[in-house]
Amino acid sequence: MISEERLRLAAQEAGRAIADSLPEPEDCEAEFSPSFERKMKKVIWRVDHRGLCLGLKRAACFFLALLLSGGVFLTVNAEARELIFGWISQRVEDAQHYFFTGSDAGERANVAYHLAELPEGYQLEERYETETHIDISYVNLETNHYLSFGYLLRATETSSTELFLETEGMEEKQVLIQGAAAECYLDKTGEIANVITWVDQETDTLLYISGYLSQTELVQMAEQVVREGI
């Protein structure tokens, strides 16, 4: 029977032999496939936009309601929630959760939105689209920072939609976008992207912009978003 000491020495010797057979780091060159490069860009985007996550399931807990008529937050009970039609904002641990609730009041508006102007240095990177959600990402190749603009159409009887913002440690500020209430989530460290969210009350659409921009820049961009189709 081989003793543990002999096994340990044999493992050390095998490890040294493997290490000696490897080339020097400076002699190693690798060419990555376009597919791998795209996947890495998506990983970088997720790190840059750590606060922005999308989900397809509705959480069940007490929440704060954003009334479309005035954009006012108030606490509501289970019975009152059944009477609310619009986007709901609720705090879930270290995240802010937005989802649409209420009976379907007719066909969903056929609308599209786009940014009127991009900050200097940004170019289109990728477009993500589903039945209820559009997300367009842009990248600044000099700073390697990403900018995300997107919107979520209201839910219907056959579809649901929601947005999660991971806001741990972020400062929340209330602002106005074209007269409607909006929320800014600002990172004091500068390590993750800031986010602004607001609702187009005419179409029941939730919009957001996420990027390494100041509150003033986010508000200016949001004010200039162009709506088409209504």
Side-chain angles (χ1 to χ4, degrees):
M1 183 176 181
I2 302 176
S3 66
E4 292 185 4
E5 179 64 18
R6 290 185 62 185
L7 288 173
R8 183 180 64 81
L9 293 175
Q12 290 179 346
E13 184 176 351
R16 285 193 296 268
I18 293 173
D20 292 340
S21 67
L22 296 175
E24 295 297 326
E26 56 269 20
D27 297 330
C28 297
E29 295 184 3
E31 293 185 5
F32 301 107
S33 68
S35 175
F36 179 83
E37 293 283 359
R38 287 194 297 270
K39 290 179 181 179
M40 290 306 300
K41 286 181 179 179
K42 289 183 180 179
V43 171
I44 295 172
W45 185 92
R46 292 190 181 100
V47 172
D48 272 358
H49 295 75
R50 183 169 59 88
L52 190 62
C53 300
L54 298 168
L56 296 176
K57 294 184 178 179
R58 182 172 296 180
C61 61
F62 295 101
F63 55 81
L64 298 176
L66 173 59
L67 295 183
L68 298 183
S69 60
V72 178
F73 285 95
L74 72 160
T75 302
V76 292
N77 58 29
E79 182 178 353
R81 287 201 296 270
E82 296 179 359
L83 304 177
I84 293 173
F85 178 86
W87 283 97
I88 303 301
S89 173
Q90 66 176 5
R91 188 72 177 175
V92 183
E93 296 182 350
D94 295 325
Q96 200 72 20
H97 177 210
Y98 293 86
F99 65 93
F100 194 89
T101 188
S103 60
D104 191 3
E107 293 185 2
R108 188 163 47 208
N110 183 22
V111 293
Y113 298 81
H114 66 265
L115 298 175
E117 187 176 355
L118 288 174
E120 184 178 356
Y122 282 85
Q123 65 182 42
L124 178 65
E125 172 69 9
E126 188 174 18
R127 179 184 176 92
Y128 169 84
E129 182 172 354
T130 68
E131 178 187 357
T132 58
H133 175 221
I134 304 293
D135 182 272
I136 308 169
S137 60
Y138 305 87
V139 62
N140 186 316
L141 297 180
E142 292 186 2
T143 63
N144 206 31
H145 282 167
Y146 278 74
L147 169 69
S148 179
F149 165 67
Y151 54 94
L152 294 91
L153 305 176
R154 69 174 176 84
T156 67
E157 293 180 349
T158 59
S159 66
S160 62
T161 181
E162 62 184 3
L163 174 73
F164 283 93
L165 299 179
E166 186 181 340
T167 56
E168 180 181 6
M170 301 182 80
E171 179 183 7
E172 180 180 353
K173 289 190 176 181
Q174 303 294 316
V175 296
L176 292 177
I177 301 298
Q178 299 177 351
E183 291 72 50
C184 274
Y185 300 94
L186 306 172
D187 176 53
K188 299 178 181 179
T189 67
E191 295 180 356
I192 61 176
N194 295 326
V195 185
I196 187 170
T197 66
W198 73 101
V199 173
D200 183 341
Q201 299 179 18
E202 293 186 31
T203 64
D204 299 328
T205 302
L206 176 68
L207 299 97
Y208 62 85
I209 300 174
S210 174
Y212 286 86
L213 303 170
S214 67
Q215 175 183 331
T216 300
E217 291 171 320
L218 287 173
V219 171
Q220 289 176 346
M221 290 187 66
E223 287 276 5
Q224 297 173 8
V225 166
V226 178
R227 184 181 71 189
E228 299 175 343
I230 188 173

